Amino acid sequence: MHTGPSPFRHLSPLDRLLDSAQNALSTVLGAPRAARANPGLGEPEVVLDEPERRHAAGLMRINHTGEVCAQALYVGQAAVAREPATRDHLLEAAQEETDHLAWCADRLRELDSRPSLLNPLWYAGSWAIGAAAGLRGDGWNLGFVVETERQVEAHLEEHLQTLPPADARSRAILAVMKDDEARHADNALAAGARTLPPPIPALMAGMSKVMKAMAYRI
Ligand SMILES: [Fe+2]
Ligand SMILES: [Fe+2]
């Protein structure tokens, strides 16, 4: 887990790789710790019937995997970012994604369920995509953040509509995540993001559709 921007400005490629490896292990195998309190804890726990519980768990497993991908994208992008300011920007956003990751993991446990078994694969694929985007330059790097966050924001809105109405705890978590993702996109825009050309946004949406279909079940 990252603890904020690194004070070391000149990281060697090996440092960057070790940083990524440490993040990968703690994201996929560890129990990442949130810096902020879980927003769901302010809501009463209601016993859902079995189909509702399974549906809520499927949706929260998708959101958990989405956050695994977000960690990997940001860390992959940061590993190849040119400007220290861009790198710090990415790692700061990754810190808030760690909160999201931990909250989704908490909620999956409360729903008597588990994260996706395919998370190591999603991490590896997302890291590679993040690094590939980052290698094209910092404007692209930030453009990639904007597109990712906007797509996640839209999909969180969809989940807020389709969660069982009684599941106030999941809903409270997703509402805070949605606000955070919107801010991540705005910050990246302000930092000089460029607009990604077609077909990249459509490819990203296609990949996340596959991820959602698989993570709901596996
Ligand atoms: Fe997130
Ligand atoms: Fe985000």
Side-chain angles (χ1 to χ4, degrees), residues 74 97 100 149 180-181 184:
Y74 285 149
E97 308 298 357
H100 302 171
E149 298 289 359
D180 287 349
E181 314 301 14
H184 295 163

Side-chain angles (χ1 to χ4, degrees), residues 9 11 13 56 58 61 68 72 93 98 188 194:
R9 294 283 160 173
L11 294 179
R61 188 158 42 249
V68 167
T98 301
R194 54 173 287 172

Side-chain angles (χ1 to χ4, degrees), residues 103-119:
W103 299 340
C104 289
D106 288 348
R107 189 61 192 142
L108 276 173
R109 269 191 301 277
E110 289 174 356
L111 289 167
D112 210 9
S113 192
R114 52 151 183 82
S116 168
L117 301 174
L118 301 177
N119 280 346

